Amino acid sequence: MLPTDAHPRWRLRVFDRCWPWRATRSEAMRDAVSSFNARRCPDDNVIYLDAAAAIQRDPPHYGDQLRMRMKRSFAK
């Protein structure tokens, strides 16, 4: 299942502060830039997160995890 607004997968986390879940990683990076927890380098246009900041990924949904486990068990 792809991440959507109904099932978002990414968020910015700085120490114990968490921003809302977002559908895409780029939206979480936009949160980091707007909250001054990341800097965009003007030379190469790369975004660098602060040391305390992290982009957190939500684990897959239970149904997706079960499907992946079933595929793995039948692959043996």
Side-chain angles (χ1 to χ4, degrees), residues 14 32 35-39 48-54:
V14 182
S35 65
F36 301 107
N37 288 295
R39 307 282 180 273
Y48 293 96
L49 284 173
D50 287 350

Side-chain angles (χ1 to χ4, degrees), residues 1 3 8-12 21 25 54-60:
M1 174 184 269
R9 292 279 174 91
W10 304 90
R11 72 175 167 188
L12 170 67
W21 288 104
R25 188 174 189 275
I55 300 296
Q56 184 179 26
R57 186 167 190 268
D58 192 29

Side-chain angles (χ1 to χ4, degrees), residues 19-49:
W19 273 252
W21 288 104
R22 303 292 184 205
T24 62
R25 188 174 189 275
S26 61
E27 289 174 359
M29 289 299 274
R30 203 174 311 131
D31 284 345
V33 171
S34 64
S35 65
F36 301 107
N37 288 295
R39 307 282 180 273
R40 186 185 297 272
C41 181
D43 300 331
D44 51 7
N45 211 24
V46 174
I47 297 175
Y48 293 96
L49 284 173

